[in-house]
Amino acid sequence: MTASSSIGTGPGRALIAVYGLFSLAAGARAAVQIAGRFHEAPLAYSLSAFAALVYIVLTVALWRGARRLALAALGIELAGVLIIGTASLLNPAAFPDETVWSTYGKGYLFIPLVLPLVGLYWLLRRRR
């Protein structure tokens, strides 16, 4: 088994499961928000939809052993959590409703902040 195909095995399966769950949770939340209240907070709801897309890409990349794609998506996720998290603290008026990444994922028990770090650790550790 090559290193790239082994990223979705063992503890990597837990990452796939968590990202799959987050894909569903963020996607469903964004869909409901966009369908019913998009005019209230278009930026926040669009960012939640974007987060859901990133989670979907990560789930598929980890499942298929696509290391480069997973690393890129993890970088985007981490940057998104840090940028949106900081922006939501510095300018709360710009975020009248929470996104998945607002206040560093507070609405999701800060898992969005920790998850990309765990994913990066897993992928970089499995490189050998």
Side-chain angles (χ1 to χ4, degrees):
M1 182 176 288
T2 65
S4 65
S5 64
S6 68
I7 62 174
T9 61
R13 288 185 185 182
L15 270 178
I16 293 168
V18 172
Y19 274 115
L21 180 63
F22 265 69
S23 297
L24 291 172
R29 178 181 182 171
V32 168
Q33 291 170 326
I34 289 170
R37 305 180 320 205
F38 186 72
H39 64 281
E40 293 176 14
L43 175 62
Y45 301 155
S46 296
L47 288 170
S48 285
F50 177 73
L53 283 173
V54 171
Y55 293 143
I56 291 167
V57 168
L58 273 163
T59 303
V60 172
L62 290 168
W63 180 267
R64 297 188 65 141
R67 175 183 301 282
R68 286 185 184 169
L69 179 58
L71 284 170
L74 285 166
I76 291 168
E77 178 191 11
L78 184 57
V81 171
L82 295 175
I83 292 167
I84 302 307
T86 301
S88 66
L89 291 174
L90 296 176
N91 188 8
F95 298 89
D97 200 357
E98 289 188 357
T99 74
V100 176
W101 295 337
S102 295
T103 55
Y104 308 108
K106 180 180 176 185
Y108 287 88
L109 304 174
F110 300 102
I111 294 170
L113 178 62
V114 175
L115 201 53
L117 298 173
V118 171
L120 286 168
Y121 172 78
W122 175 251
L123 286 179
L124 295 174
R125 182 178 143 317
R126 301 295 296 176
R127 185 184 314 197
R128 298 177 199 152

